[in-house]
Amino acid sequence: MKEYKYKINGNTYKVAIGDIDNNIAEVEVNGVPYKVELDKAKKPVTIINAPRPSAAPRTADGGKVISKPAAKSGGAKKVVSPLPGTVVSIAVKVGDTVKAADTVAILEAMKMENAIHAGHDGVVKSIDVNPGDAVLEGALLITIE
């Protein structure tokens, strides 16, 4: 037991604290035993106010707006810009045969040059940009047939 001396309003008290079991402490004050119930320590509650996502866009009749893939136009494949940037150079000409891994254009974005690959085997049908053009993400660069 640990013993302490307290002075309260001029009176001296000799307090001995014994074992604590399930928040019940055995305490002896000036030789008189007491069983003292301790408050349970409450864990702090963390409240998280996460922002709720905004509602999905709806059409005039209340239906969900769903982006559908573009219809394929006679087997033509499109090479689009993967990010906004400036076209530095075009490495092919109309009529050239390309393989999927061939570099067809160089795009500068955030001061880095990015090689744009054909993505499909075929023949270059059209080139829709010129060197120096600024393009947005998803802009059509080259059509391959």
Side-chain angles (χ1 to χ4, degrees):
M1 289 186 126
K2 291 186 179 181
E3 293 188 9
Y4 302 94
K5 286 188 180 182
Y6 294 102
K7 193 170 199 173
I8 302 172
N9 293 330
N11 298 325
T12 302
Y13 296 93
K14 184 179 174 185
V15 179
I17 300 176
D19 294 330
I20 300 173
D21 186 32
N22 291 330
N23 289 341
I24 303 291
E26 294 179 12
V27 178
E28 196 174 285
V29 180
N30 290 339
V32 180
Y34 294 97
K35 292 207 182 263
V36 178
E37 185 177 349
L38 304 172
D39 284 342
K40 289 185 178 182
K42 295 182 181 178
K43 295 179 181 176
V45 177
T46 304
I47 299 173
I48 299 172
N49 290 327
R52 296 181 61 180
S54 61
R58 302 277 181 171
T59 60
D61 63 357
K64 291 182 179 178
V65 175
I66 298 174
S67 140
K68 296 179 183 170
K72 294 188 178 188
S73 57
K77 309 289 184 193
K78 297 179 179 181
V79 178
V80 296
S81 173
L83 66 167
T86 304
V87 177
V88 175
S89 66
I90 304 292
V92 293
K93 297 181 190 95
V94 174
D96 286 355
T97 302
V98 293
K99 298 284 183 191
D102 290 349
T103 300
V104 293
I106 302 292
L107 182 72
E108 181 184 319
M110 298 187 298
K111 298 190 180 193
M112 292 184 65
E113 290 187 355
N114 300 283
I116 309 299
H117 301 286
H120 307 282
D121 293 348
V123 177
V124 176
K125 180 181 175 189
S126 68
I127 298 173
D128 300 290
V129 292
N130 295 311
D133 287 353
V135 294
L136 296 175
E137 180 178 355
L140 178 62
L141 303 175
I142 295 172
T143 305
I144 299 173
E145 216 173 43

